[in-house]
Amino acid sequence: MSESISAGDVTNSQFIVGNNNRLTINEAAPQPQRTGEASNVPGGGSQTFVGRGETLTELHERLSSVNAVAITAIQGMGGIGKTELARQYARQYAASYPSGRCWLQARELDVASQIVAFAKVYLQIEPPEGLELPEQVAYCWSHWPGSERVLVVYDDVTAYGRVEDVLPPEESGRFVTLMTTRRQHLAVTVDSFEIEVLSEAAALELLGQIVGETRTAAELETAKAICEWVGYLPLALELVGQYLRQKPDVTYQKLQNRLESQRTEARALQKAYPGMTGKLGVIEAFELSWKALSEDEQDVACWLSLFALAPIPWELAESNIEEAEKEDFEDGRDALISRSLLRRIEQGSYQLHQLVREYFVAKLTQRGDADRLRQAYCQLMTALARQMPGRLNRELLLRLTPIMPHIAEVTTSWQDWLSNEDEEMTLPFVAMARFYEEQGAYSQAEPWYTDCIKATQNRFGNNHSDVATSLNNLALLFRSQGRYAEAEPLQVQALTLWRQLLGDTHPNVATGLNNLALLYESQGRYAEAEPLYMQALTIWRQLLGDAHPNVATTLDNLAGLYKSQGRYAEAEPLQMQALTIWRQLLGDAHPSVATSLNNLALLYKSQGRYAEAESLQMQALILRRQLLGDAHPNVATSLNNLAGLYKSQRRYTEAEPLYMQALDLNRQLLGDAHPHIAANLNNLAELYSEQGRHTEAESLYMQALDLNCQLLGDAHPNVAATLDNLALLYRSQGRHAEAESLLLQALDLNRQLLGDNHFAVTTSLNNLALLYESQGRYEQAEPLYIQAIAILNNRLDQDHPTTTTVFNNFIHLVSTVLEANQQSELSDNPLTQSIIEWLQSQPQQ
């Protein structure tokens, strides 16, 4: 059963809102309206004026200026509140127009007849008989009584030609002409006064006034969401407010659900209520502008509706338009702007209002070629996603930022029109994930990879190559974050699926083997990683021959694995083979050659072959600068690595400026919040620590630690490494309690993330043992050295520098204990006893 509502109640509930302060009529009007004044300004409407107080003041200043253009037009999209602003102005500033206020409806009624009728009724002007209508209008203007200012409002002007011949004369200076229009730039003689949608605060205040403050406050977040969904458009807000007012049992949440499911068909947007200034629903208001568009202009509108609700780079919008048709396409765009259906944000950038876009999407759905347009949009965005370069610096990120929302729109709105071919289904998801991943924003990248898995599974089922690719990508992200336990099952699933679908000798299988090997290597599981690299290498060679980039890449990776184990004699020829292949395929001047030179330099550095390492590192740096320019992440990497080489040789004065250059360059390219920045800070802190510059070192370590925790989470190998380094600094300062706490945290973290037998665990064990030794806590230090040596003997070559270092540290501990005559504190472990016997057998110095 419907519940009736009195007309008075509805009228009193109307509100005019905007972006500024609340302003009552009596506060705004300089003087009350005079009795008997000549005016036909529509009555009714709001008793309070919420939000557009400053806008109203600005409009009055514009109209009162001695240099004002003769005609001013309040311009904006349908439903934005142009008519109500003009009405409020005419009412609140009545005293500024003592000689009358004439309101004319310009859309449908004959304006000339309205002027003559006003003059007869309100001014008692009777034009002489026999005059044609235009002559009657001229007579009325010339015989307007009084000598003071007159306000003439032309409401809803659709074209300047409809009113041009019936405008008041400019010569008298008395007539102030105000128009409202959806058109931009009606004529060169018209001054545009554009108004915007509401602020969130004003929109909420409007809903509160209509629906009730208590009811709105109870569902405030949902009310905010509704305001955002309707794009803060006054007409839409008033419609949904009145809808809720008429339906006290409908909650904001239920209304939100209806809007999101029914879109522009929602009843809450359809009809105006008695007493409202606007007489049309939102869709009816837009329909007036739509009907005025040509077919070609409507085509442009439907194409733009496919883009995200974000600024649209025009270069992107027209990128698939034939060159000969681009000017026509621009004309269509300009027609939309002219009718306030599209807004120019800045040069080359345009945006649709939320509800206008919804309306255009509905129009697109009615077209016979809708699917073709959606597919064309998907093809355009996936082509852009496919072209995304491997490394993204800040310049590239800035160029990509305006495009990314439109690539994302494919995944949210147009996913059903993505092709099944050539991994097109995965490309938009991967592009979005990599956009964030390259910025170190791993938490923002993860949902895109996760959604990609779901999307491919929904489209293809669980057994499809694109599903395997999606699993592989998420596994790689988890590896970057040190989330090895989560990465491994995904990587294994991807490899298993590729093998089932493609056979054992397919490029994707080789990729899966390589990536699983990288994961195992990251965890120090060298024995498991090596055969996977070997299998991948065999497949690449079988499919692609000995001279192929993928072969070189796997050789590089396998050499890196051998280097980590101290198997330098095996690593070097593999590294040399990789470098030879790159040069053979790409010439001496290529980024991949520079990378291979860098890796060979790192191998030589590990062996203490500093002169050879420096020569290669310099070649890599020079080559990267030549090929990539001075501002590139790979240049920063070379600077950092060359600095590390100098630090190893204690050439501190040469190392510091290189570390600083690397840090500054990465900040310039990647911003302040990126894992590479944390690594640079950590490395520079190590340098300062070795120089005894403890205060500077501690500050940098703390910055690196905070940044790693922020970007990678508290549980990441990089966090553990920085804790270890900071602990060493504290130990050198005699801050033993602080050092012990950090070392225990690092040890626990490394064991948790990497297992009990990882290389990084030996670092923490060694450092903690050194701390205990320096405190005379020999009984606690001994088992830590023994554990570290056992791990290293199982993982690394016997001659690996780290193995040698830890073993020598243990010998020093035993020697110290013997010299202190505290042998009873040592255990009967065979290794300990063998060292005691060896030391005791040495001749006395």
Short mmCIF file of all heavy atoms in Angstrom, two decimals, residues 10 14-16 45 78-85 87 155 182 234-236 238-239 242 270-282 284-285:
data_model
loop_
_atom_site.label_atom_id
_atom_site.label_comp_id
_atom_site.label_asym_id
_atom_site.label_seq_id
_atom_site.Cartn_x
_atom_site.Cartn_y
_atom_site.Cartn_z
N VAL A 10 7.08 17.72 0.82
CA VAL A 10 8.06 17.52 -0.25
C VAL A 10 8.75 18.83 -0.57
O VAL A 10 9.96 18.90 -0.71
CB VAL A 10 7.38 16.94 -1.50
CG1 VAL A 10 8.36 16.87 -2.65
CG2 VAL A 10 6.83 15.55 -1.19
N GLN A 14 13.44 20.26 -0.16
CA GLN A 14 14.38 20.47 -1.25
C GLN A 14 15.57 21.27 -0.78
O GLN A 14 15.44 22.24 -0.04
CB GLN A 14 13.69 21.20 -2.42
CG GLN A 14 12.38 20.56 -2.84
CD GLN A 14 12.53 19.07 -3.00
OE1 GLN A 14 13.36 18.63 -3.76
NE2 GLN A 14 11.73 18.30 -2.29
N PHE A 15 16.77 20.92 -1.27
CA PHE A 15 17.98 21.61 -0.86
C PHE A 15 18.88 21.85 -2.06
O PHE A 15 18.94 21.04 -2.97
CB PHE A 15 18.75 20.79 0.20
CG PHE A 15 17.89 20.48 1.38
CD1 PHE A 15 17.17 19.30 1.43
CD2 PHE A 15 17.75 21.39 2.40
CE1 PHE A 15 16.35 19.02 2.50
CE2 PHE A 15 16.94 21.12 3.47
CZ PHE A 15 16.24 19.93 3.52
N ILE A 16 19.61 22.93 -2.02
CA ILE A 16 20.57 23.26 -3.05
C ILE A 16 21.94 23.14 -2.42
O ILE A 16 22.17 23.68 -1.34
CB ILE A 16 20.36 24.71 -3.57
CG1 ILE A 16 18.90 24.90 -3.95
CG2 ILE A 16 21.29 24.98 -4.74
CD1 ILE A 16 18.40 23.89 -4.94
N GLY A 45 11.48 25.73 -3.63
CA GLY A 45 12.87 25.36 -3.47
C GLY A 45 13.32 25.39 -2.03
O GLY A 45 12.52 25.30 -1.10
N GLY A 78 24.09 18.33 -17.30
CA GLY A 78 22.73 18.19 -16.81
C GLY A 78 22.71 17.64 -15.39
O GLY A 78 23.41 16.69 -15.08
N GLY A 79 21.90 18.27 -14.54
CA GLY A 79 21.77 17.80 -13.17
C GLY A 79 22.75 18.40 -12.19
O GLY A 79 22.75 18.04 -11.01
N ILE A 80 23.60 19.32 -12.65
CA ILE A 80 24.62 19.86 -11.76
C ILE A 80 24.13 21.03 -10.92
O ILE A 80 24.80 21.47 -10.00
CB ILE A 80 25.87 20.25 -12.56
CG1 ILE A 80 27.12 20.20 -11.68
CG2 ILE A 80 25.71 21.62 -13.20
CD1 ILE A 80 28.42 20.25 -12.44
N GLY A 81 22.95 21.56 -11.24
CA GLY A 81 22.37 22.61 -10.42
C GLY A 81 22.47 24.00 -10.98
O GLY A 81 22.45 24.97 -10.23
N LYS A 82 22.52 24.11 -12.31
CA LYS A 82 22.65 25.43 -12.93
C LYS A 82 21.41 26.28 -12.69
O LYS A 82 21.48 27.45 -12.31
CB LYS A 82 22.89 25.27 -14.44
CG LYS A 82 24.08 24.42 -14.80
CD LYS A 82 24.23 24.25 -16.30
CE LYS A 82 23.08 23.46 -16.93
NZ LYS A 82 23.01 22.05 -16.48
N THR A 83 20.23 25.68 -12.94
CA THR A 83 18.98 26.43 -12.80
C THR A 83 18.77 26.89 -11.37
O THR A 83 18.39 28.04 -11.11
CB THR A 83 17.80 25.56 -13.25
OG1 THR A 83 17.92 25.28 -14.64
CG2 THR A 83 16.47 26.26 -13.00
N GLU A 84 19.06 25.99 -10.41
CA GLU A 84 18.85 26.37 -9.01
C GLU A 84 19.81 27.45 -8.58
O GLU A 84 19.44 28.34 -7.81
CB GLU A 84 18.99 25.14 -8.11
CG GLU A 84 18.63 25.41 -6.66
CD GLU A 84 17.20 25.90 -6.47
OE1 GLU A 84 16.31 25.50 -7.25
OE2 GLU A 84 16.96 26.71 -5.54
N LEU A 85 21.03 27.41 -9.08
CA LEU A 85 21.98 28.47 -8.73
C LEU A 85 21.49 29.81 -9.27
O LEU A 85 21.54 30.83 -8.58
CB LEU A 85 23.37 28.14 -9.29
CG LEU A 85 24.46 29.15 -8.93
CD1 LEU A 85 24.76 29.12 -7.44
CD2 LEU A 85 25.74 28.88 -9.73
N ARG A 87 18.37 30.62 -9.92
CA ARG A 87 17.18 31.02 -9.17
C ARG A 87 17.56 31.58 -7.81
O ARG A 87 17.03 32.61 -7.37
CB ARG A 87 16.25 29.82 -9.00
CG ARG A 87 14.93 30.19 -8.35
CD ARG A 87 14.00 29.01 -8.24
NE ARG A 87 14.49 28.04 -7.26
CZ ARG A 87 13.76 27.03 -6.81
NH1 ARG A 87 12.53 26.86 -7.27
NH2 ARG A 87 14.24 26.18 -5.93
N ASP A 155 16.93 30.60 -19.03
CA ASP A 155 17.23 29.29 -18.44
C ASP A 155 17.24 28.19 -19.50
O ASP A 155 16.31 28.06 -20.31
CB ASP A 155 16.16 28.97 -17.38
CG ASP A 155 16.45 27.68 -16.65
OD1 ASP A 155 17.63 27.41 -16.37
OD2 ASP A 155 15.50 26.94 -16.36
N ARG A 182 23.96 23.89 -20.97
CA ARG A 182 24.87 22.74 -20.96
C ARG A 182 26.00 22.92 -21.96
O ARG A 182 26.94 22.14 -21.96
CB ARG A 182 24.10 21.46 -21.31
CG ARG A 182 22.94 21.18 -20.38
CD ARG A 182 22.26 19.88 -20.74
NE ARG A 182 21.07 19.68 -19.93
CZ ARG A 182 20.44 18.51 -19.81
NH1 ARG A 182 20.90 17.46 -20.45
NH2 ARG A 182 19.37 18.40 -19.06
N PRO A 234 24.39 16.87 -8.00
CA PRO A 234 23.27 17.33 -7.16
C PRO A 234 21.93 16.69 -7.50
O PRO A 234 21.20 16.28 -6.60
CB PRO A 234 23.26 18.85 -7.39
CG PRO A 234 24.68 19.18 -7.69
CD PRO A 234 25.20 18.01 -8.49
N LEU A 235 21.59 16.62 -8.79
CA LEU A 235 20.30 16.05 -9.16
C LEU A 235 20.21 14.60 -8.70
O LEU A 235 19.20 14.18 -8.12
CB LEU A 235 20.11 16.13 -10.67
CG LEU A 235 18.85 15.42 -11.21
CD1 LEU A 235 17.58 16.00 -10.59
CD2 LEU A 235 18.81 15.50 -12.74
N ALA A 236 21.26 13.82 -8.93
CA ALA A 236 21.25 12.41 -8.54
C ALA A 236 21.15 12.26 -7.03
O ALA A 236 20.44 11.40 -6.51
CB ALA A 236 22.49 11.71 -9.07
N GLU A 238 19.82 14.38 -4.93
CA GLU A 238 18.48 14.74 -4.48
C GLU A 238 17.48 13.64 -4.81
O GLU A 238 16.58 13.33 -4.01
CB GLU A 238 18.05 16.07 -5.11
CG GLU A 238 16.81 16.66 -4.46
CD GLU A 238 16.61 18.12 -4.80
OE1 GLU A 238 17.36 18.66 -5.62
OE2 GLU A 238 15.68 18.71 -4.22
N LEU A 239 17.65 13.00 -5.96
CA LEU A 239 16.75 11.90 -6.34
C LEU A 239 16.88 10.73 -5.37
O LEU A 239 15.88 10.18 -4.90
CB LEU A 239 17.05 11.45 -7.76
CG LEU A 239 16.62 12.39 -8.89
CD1 LEU A 239 17.16 11.90 -10.22
CD2 LEU A 239 15.10 12.53 -8.95
N GLN A 242 15.43 11.67 -1.95
CA GLN A 242 13.97 11.64 -1.92
C GLN A 242 13.45 10.19 -1.98
O GLN A 242 12.45 9.86 -1.34
CB GLN A 242 13.40 12.45 -3.10
CG GLN A 242 13.62 13.95 -2.99
CD GLN A 242 12.84 14.57 -1.84
OE1 GLN A 242 11.99 13.94 -1.22
NE2 GLN A 242 13.17 15.81 -1.51
N GLN A 270 15.28 7.61 -11.52
CA GLN A 270 14.40 7.78 -12.67
C GLN A 270 13.50 9.00 -12.62
O GLN A 270 13.38 9.72 -13.59
CB GLN A 270 13.53 6.52 -12.85
CG GLN A 270 14.33 5.26 -13.15
CD GLN A 270 15.18 5.39 -14.39
OE1 GLN A 270 14.77 5.99 -15.38
NE2 GLN A 270 16.39 4.86 -14.33
N LYS A 271 12.82 9.23 -11.50
CA LYS A 271 11.77 10.26 -11.52
C LYS A 271 12.03 11.36 -10.51
O LYS A 271 12.55 11.13 -9.43
CB LYS A 271 10.41 9.64 -11.26
CG LYS A 271 10.20 9.11 -9.85
CD LYS A 271 8.75 8.74 -9.60
CE LYS A 271 8.53 8.34 -8.14
NZ LYS A 271 7.12 8.09 -7.85
N ALA A 272 11.66 12.59 -10.92
CA ALA A 272 11.73 13.73 -10.01
C ALA A 272 10.50 13.73 -9.11
O ALA A 272 9.47 13.10 -9.41
CB ALA A 272 11.81 15.02 -10.80
N TYR A 273 10.59 14.44 -8.00
CA TYR A 273 9.50 14.50 -7.03
C TYR A 273 8.91 15.91 -7.00
O TYR A 273 9.60 16.89 -7.33
CB TYR A 273 10.02 14.12 -5.64
CG TYR A 273 10.44 12.68 -5.55
CD1 TYR A 273 11.70 12.28 -5.98
CD2 TYR A 273 9.58 11.70 -5.05
CE1 TYR A 273 12.09 10.95 -5.91
CE2 TYR A 273 9.96 10.37 -4.98
CZ TYR A 273 11.21 10.00 -5.40
OH TYR A 273 11.59 8.68 -5.33
N PRO A 274 7.63 16.03 -6.63
CA PRO A 274 7.01 17.36 -6.57
C PRO A 274 7.81 18.31 -5.69
O PRO A 274 8.27 17.93 -4.61
CB PRO A 274 5.63 17.08 -5.95
CG PRO A 274 5.35 15.65 -6.29
CD PRO A 274 6.68 14.96 -6.26
N GLY A 275 8.02 19.51 -6.17
CA GLY A 275 8.74 20.51 -5.41
C GLY A 275 10.21 20.63 -5.76
O GLY A 275 10.86 21.59 -5.38
N MET A 276 10.74 19.65 -6.50
CA MET A 276 12.15 19.73 -6.89
C MET A 276 12.33 20.76 -8.00
O MET A 276 11.45 20.94 -8.84
CB MET A 276 12.65 18.36 -7.38
CG MET A 276 12.87 17.34 -6.28
SD MET A 276 13.40 15.72 -6.92
CE MET A 276 14.86 16.17 -7.85
N THR A 277 13.48 21.39 -8.00
CA THR A 277 13.78 22.31 -9.10
C THR A 277 13.88 21.56 -10.41
O THR A 277 13.32 21.95 -11.42
CB THR A 277 15.11 23.04 -8.82
OG1 THR A 277 14.99 23.75 -7.58
CG2 THR A 277 15.43 24.01 -9.93
N GLY A 278 14.64 20.45 -10.40
CA GLY A 278 14.73 19.62 -11.59
C GLY A 278 13.45 18.84 -11.79
O GLY A 278 12.92 18.26 -10.85
N LYS A 279 12.97 18.79 -13.00
CA LYS A 279 11.72 18.09 -13.30
C LYS A 279 11.95 16.75 -13.98
O LYS A 279 10.99 16.05 -14.29
CB LYS A 279 10.84 18.97 -14.21
CG LYS A 279 10.56 20.36 -13.64
CD LYS A 279 9.93 20.28 -12.26
CE LYS A 279 9.66 21.68 -11.70
NZ LYS A 279 9.15 21.62 -10.30
N LEU A 280 13.22 16.39 -14.20
CA LEU A 280 13.54 15.16 -14.90
C LEU A 280 14.38 14.25 -14.01
O LEU A 280 15.08 14.71 -13.11
CB LEU A 280 14.33 15.45 -16.18
CG LEU A 280 13.70 16.40 -17.19
CD1 LEU A 280 14.68 16.68 -18.33
CD2 LEU A 280 12.41 15.81 -17.75
N GLY A 281 14.30 12.94 -14.29
CA GLY A 281 15.24 12.03 -13.69
C GLY A 281 16.61 12.19 -14.34
O GLY A 281 16.76 12.89 -15.35
N VAL A 282 17.62 11.55 -13.76
CA VAL A 282 18.98 11.69 -14.28
C VAL A 282 19.06 11.25 -15.73
O VAL A 282 19.63 11.93 -16.58
CB VAL A 282 19.97 10.87 -13.41
CG1 VAL A 282 21.34 10.82 -14.08
CG2 VAL A 282 20.09 11.48 -12.03
N GLU A 284 16.69 10.95 -17.99
CA GLU A 284 15.95 11.86 -18.87
C GLU A 284 16.76 13.12 -19.13
O GLU A 284 16.76 13.65 -20.25
CB GLU A 284 14.61 12.22 -18.25
CG GLU A 284 13.62 11.07 -18.19
CD GLU A 284 12.34 11.47 -17.48
OE1 GLU A 284 12.43 11.98 -16.35
OE2 GLU A 284 11.27 11.31 -18.07
N ALA A 285 17.46 13.59 -18.09
CA ALA A 285 18.27 14.80 -18.26
C ALA A 285 19.41 14.55 -19.25
O ALA A 285 19.71 15.40 -20.11
CB ALA A 285 18.84 15.23 -16.90
#
